[in-house]
Amino acid sequence: MMKKMIESTIRNMANDLQRMQSGDGSWSFCFENSVMTDAYMIILLRSLEAGEKELVAQLVNRLWKLQSKDGTWKLFEDEREGNLSSTIEAYFALSFSGVVGEDDKRLLKAKQFIEKNGGFHKAHSITKFMLAVHGQYDWKHLMPIPIEFLLIPRTFPLNFWDLSSYARGHLAPLMLLKDQRFTIKTSGTPQIQYLSRAPNEVRYNERELRLFSKINEGLQSLVSIPSHLHQQARQFALEYMLHRTESDGTYLSYFSATFYMIYALLAMGYEKKDPIILKAIKGLKKMACETKRGIHIQNSPSTVWDTALISHALQEAGMDAGDRSIEKAVEYLVRKQHFRYGDWAMDSRVNPGGWGFSESNSLHPDVDDTTAALRAITYSAAMNPLIRQSWDRGIEWVIDTQNRDGGWPAFEKNKTKGILTSFPMDGAEAAAIDPSTPDLTGRALEFLGRQAGLTKDHPQVKKGVEWLKLMQKDDGSWYGRWGVCYIYGTWAAITGMKAVGISSSNKHLERAKFWLESIQQKDGGWGESCYSDQEKTYVPLSFSTPSQTAWALESLICMEDKPTPAIDLGIMALLELLNGTADASRGNYPTGAGLPGNFYIHYHSYQWIWPLVTLSRYKEKFG
């Protein structure tokens, strides 16, 4: 009975996915993130007086649908209270929209929550920057680092290039805006400064003061006339952004970075109707996707990621590499491989060969997307010499991106200076550097073992495995940085170690298996809260989710010689989640992570991808 259900579910999912494929071979699912992007789009269009009344109205409508009964906005449904930053962003956007009255009761509820929870001063730094740009928050409370920091030479122990690529991308426009203390106001800008309630002075802790001292040492090394240096730093920030603008007009293919770039350009004297700004806005509008609650603006559309994962999942489910659907996907992916040297090349001698997350991304590759694309083209590479060239370039890029400690980062190797986590921006501990993480290391090893045929005896694989062992938590789990959270990290570590030939009887794997079985829900599935990555400990959900259940199951399947009660119970729970007998909203819980405590993602593709891979693994191994 179960065997038939597995086979029919695999078949139905594969058929559905084939129908959803676009003509160019790609799959485009919504990358649904927090309300920030929807709110900021309203604010951007209104502050630039760009019209777009219909889009503004659609985004307003979606914001209302996402408001909770107590008048707040949340990052995830089990967030105990509303999220202050999200509520401020939505409140300001709705007040600015031109279609919501000041006395709207829903707005007043949000305002009361903001006042009760400390006002703007308790919000996230990125939210405060948005408010400062619109004259609602005092610039003096933000980032006390002079713009000349951007010019400290790379040879100095601490400099701009030591930051992660994500941090650099956002810091360039933010430093320009802070330096100019830029504000933009229109007749429609809401005047809500009274909600800032900021103290007269901001206090910095010892670590932050040590960082400022190091930066000052670097500034002393710059020999130049102060005013000339200042102008040079501003010009550097401007050129840094413009040189990293993609063909669709967006900056690094991120909504958030592009949003701040537009205001930074205005601060540097660009007109609102400048072609660069108009093209950037057009690029941001293309980031819109449809959700059940209306139009949503994605922070970085996930087309390359989805296409790589789906075409790989279909092949794991038995679809031949010669099938037209796979051929088209592989052609698409090969076209999206990078040929440009991005910032990553400063510390690398290999040729470009990675892949990025979004379709327009051509110079900001990452390890996870690259191994995902390589998995998808592996079978095709075995048959076609041209695809094999792409595969070879990709694997060379992945191996070269390994950090000194043996693990893998997201974007660039060896951006690991711990002092930078004290950078005076909320979330700096996660965003300022790009350290090795168990999930990325596990996924890289899984590819290198399963598709590239490398084993635990290969020197770089060996280093990766040793690093993973050191990172295991006392309870047997591993932390996952880019998914929620300990289930994700543990799945990546187990499948990675198994793929390179580590025995199931290894004590690290046995402890991990015991942990996974201990957190299985009563319904047989697995579910973990977004709170886990904030509290740095496993926090269960009250329900199971398809992706987390699939991750846990794939981990157990790859360790066992025959089905166990935990596996069979889990498979039944997964089939129930997929075949509609369980609550459909369980598939909507965000199981992707961007910034811990601040940015979570509901990948609409995940309820297809990971269950399909897991069911295929079960069928392949146990019949």
Side-chain angles (χ1 to χ4, degrees):
M1 175 68 179
M2 189 163 84
K3 187 180 173 185
K4 279 188 176 172
M5 274 184 77
I6 289 171
E7 286 175 353
S8 70
T9 303
I10 289 173
R11 195 164 51 248
N12 292 341
M13 288 178 95
N15 290 339
D16 288 346
L17 284 169
Q18 276 186 288
R19 278 196 294 273
M20 295 176 195
Q21 189 175 23
S22 302
D24 65 359
S26 69
W27 277 271
S28 220
F29 280 82
C30 193
F31 173 92
E32 189 176 345
N33 41 261
S34 64
V35 300
M36 181 193 86
T37 44
D38 298 336
Y40 282 24
M41 191 63 164
I42 294 170
I43 293 162
L44 180 68
L45 295 171
R46 293 286 290 158
S47 65
L48 296 184
E49 298 170 299
E52 298 287 349
K53 283 184 178 176
E54 190 185 339
L55 178 56
V56 168
Q58 287 174 318
L59 292 170
V60 164
N61 190 32
R62 184 167 191 272
L63 284 180
W64 283 136
K65 286 180 178 172
L66 290 167
Q67 189 182 28
S68 61
K69 286 175 187 167
D70 58 7
T72 65
W73 282 264
K74 297 181 174 188
L75 290 175
F76 46 92
E77 66 181 78
D78 56 319
E79 197 167 24
R80 287 182 280 275
E81 283 191 330
N83 184 273
L84 180 61
S85 294
S86 295
T87 302
I88 289 169
E89 288 160 351
Y91 175 74
F92 187 62
L94 291 165
S95 303
F96 202 169
S97 66
V99 295
V100 179
E102 276 181 46
D103 55 353
D104 191 299
K105 284 179 181 169
R106 296 167 294 181
L107 263 192
L108 295 172
K109 267 185 166 182
K111 183 181 147 193
Q112 284 163 3
F113 173 81
I114 295 165
E115 287 181 314
K116 184 182 144 202
N117 285 274
F120 298 164
H121 197 65
K122 298 278 187 184
H124 193 278
S125 303
I126 287 288
T127 310
K128 291 180 197 167
F129 268 97
M130 179 275 290
L131 293 166
V133 164
H134 294 92
Q136 307 304 307
Y137 191 76
D138 198 325
W139 278 112
K140 74 180 180 189
H141 299 305
L142 288 165
M143 205 160 51
I145 292 174
I147 195 167
E148 289 84 354
F149 166 68
L150 301 177
L151 299 180
I152 295 174
R154 287 189 73 212
T155 50
F156 197 75
L158 201 65
N159 61 79
F160 175 64
W161 299 100
D162 287 331
L163 288 158
S164 72
S165 56
Y166 177 88
R168 293 197 308 271
H170 286 78
L171 206 56
L174 294 178
M175 289 199 100
L176 259 180
L177 289 164
K178 165 70 197 268
D179 177 66
Q180 305 281 75
R181 298 197 167 212
F182 175 78
T183 58
I184 180 171
K185 285 188 180 180
T186 71
S187 57
T189 306
Q191 297 307 307
I192 52 176
Q193 302 95 317
Y194 62 89
L195 285 170
S196 67
R197 283 169 46 189
N200 292 327
E201 59 172 314
V202 179
R203 296 185 185 278
Y204 295 102
N205 64 37
E206 211 174 295
R207 288 191 69 197
E208 287 170 328
L209 293 170
R210 198 163 77 243
L211 173 75
F212 301 160
S213 160
K214 279 274 179 208
I215 289 170
N216 271 329
E217 282 175 38
L219 293 172
Q220 303 307 314
S221 71
L222 297 170
V223 184
S224 184
I225 306 157
S227 60
H228 171 66
L229 201 61
H230 193 84
Q231 188 49 42
Q232 215 179 324
R234 286 164 61 185
Q235 194 59 31
F236 172 88
L238 176 65
E239 287 174 11
Y240 185 87
M241 295 185 301
L242 295 177
H243 288 161
R244 288 155 186 80
T245 302
E246 292 287 5
S247 59
D248 64 351
T250 65
Y251 168 39
L252 291 170
S253 303
Y254 290 130
F255 176 94
S256 52
T258 308
F259 174 85
Y260 283 110
M261 176 188 78
I262 290 168
Y263 291 112
L265 293 175
L266 295 175
M268 290 294 281
Y270 283 65
E271 298 293 326
K272 288 179 181 178
K273 301 282 186 195
D274 188 279
I276 295 173
I277 289 177
L278 293 178
K279 192 175 182 186
I281 294 168
K282 193 177 173 187
L284 294 182
K285 280 163 59 186
K286 281 187 185 165
M287 291 184 172
C289 68
E290 268 297 341
T291 72
K292 285 176 184 171
R293 291 171 175 175
I295 288 281
H296 170 58
I297 306 293
Q298 303 165 91
N299 193 50
S300 43
S302 53
T303 312
V304 174
W305 177 241
D306 288 334
T307 304
L309 293 175
I310 290 167
S311 47
H312 169 247
L314 286 170
Q315 291 174 85
E316 291 303 295
M319 196 174 284
D320 193 80
D323 187 281
R324 188 62 193 131
S325 180
I326 300 301
E327 282 182 350
K328 280 166 68 182
V330 169
E331 285 162 15
Y332 171 85
L333 289 169
V334 168
R335 282 199 305 276
K336 291 298 165 189
Q337 189 173 26
H338 290 192
F339 286 88
R340 294 172 69 188
Y341 286 91
D343 289 355
W344 59 268
M346 286 183 162
D347 295 303
S348 173
R349 291 189 181 154
V350 299
N351 292 322
W355 275 263
F357 185 71
S358 299
E359 197 161 47
S360 65
N361 182 340
S362 69
L363 79 168
H364 189 223
D366 67 272
V367 172
D368 225 6
D369 276 285
T370 302
T371 60
L374 289 169
R375 278 185 192 89
I377 70 171
T378 293
Y379 293 122
S380 307
M383 301 182 293
N384 182 326
L386 285 175
I387 298 170
R388 178 62 195 247
Q389 282 176 20
S390 291
W391 194 89
D392 287 342
R393 277 180 45 231
I395 194 170
E396 191 183 353
W397 189 87
V398 169
I399 289 174
D400 183 74
T401 312
Q402 187 176 28
N403 276 332
R404 283 186 207 100
D405 62 14
W408 269 267
F411 299 100
E412 296 172 357
K413 64 182 177 185
N414 302 324
K415 302 295 178 191
T416 53
K417 289 185 179 170
I419 191 170
L420 287 167
T421 60
S422 300
F423 213 83
M425 289 279 288
D426 293 319
E429 61 281 359
I433 56 175
D434 190 359
S436 302
T437 66
D439 48 329
L440 295 174
T441 304
R443 296 304 289 149
L445 290 174
E446 198 271 350
F447 162 71
L448 292 172
R450 198 173 176 96
Q451 274 80 25
L454 303 186
T455 69
K456 60 182 190 291
D457 301 322
H458 183 280
Q460 280 171 282
V461 168
K462 194 174 187 176
K463 270 183 82 176
V465 169
E466 289 310 310
W467 182 84
L468 265 185
K469 288 176 179 176
L470 288 172
M471 290 298 112
Q472 190 173 28
K473 301 286 176 190
D474 291 343
D475 63 6
S477 68
W478 277 272
Y479 173 73
R481 165 70 176 82
W482 299 94
V484 178
C485 168
Y486 289 94
I487 293 174
Y488 186 73
T490 305
W491 158 73
I494 289 175
T495 53
M497 287 166 74
K498 281 294 295 173
V500 297
I502 304 295
S503 164
S504 297
S505 61
N506 176 280
K507 65 178 181 182
H508 296 276
L509 292 182
E510 285 199 324
R511 277 168 58 210
K513 182 182 105 172
F514 180 80
W515 178 78
L516 278 175
E517 288 178 346
S518 76
I519 61 159
Q520 190 170 18
Q521 306 258 25
K522 283 179 183 168
D523 68 0
W526 281 261
E528 181 177 2
S529 170
C530 294
Y531 273 124
S532 283
D533 73 355
Q534 295 169 55
E535 298 183 12
K536 294 291 180 277
T537 184
Y538 170 74
V539 179
L541 268 178
S542 61
F543 54 87
S544 302
T545 69
S547 49
Q548 290 165 332
T549 299
W551 294 330
L553 276 170
E554 192 191 345
S555 310
L556 297 175
I557 289 164
C558 82
M559 287 185 68
E560 301 288 4
D561 294 328
K562 57 180 187 288
T564 62
I567 290 174
D568 282 342
L569 197 61
I571 290 285
M572 289 308 290
L574 184 59
L575 291 169
E576 201 166 298
L577 283 164
L578 297 175
N579 294 319
T581 43
D583 179 3
S585 68
R586 295 179 177 197
N588 300 333
Y589 190 82
T591 57
L595 289 171
N598 187 50
F599 194 85
Y600 298 98
I601 306 127
H602 166 211
Y603 286 95
H604 287 226
S605 57
Y606 275 18
Q607 59 189 321
W608 302 88
I609 295 162
W610 307 116
L612 184 55
V613 169
T614 293
L615 292 174
S616 303
R617 292 268 187 271
Y618 183 96
K619 185 184 163 202
E620 176 194 11
K621 192 164 187 180
F622 305 134

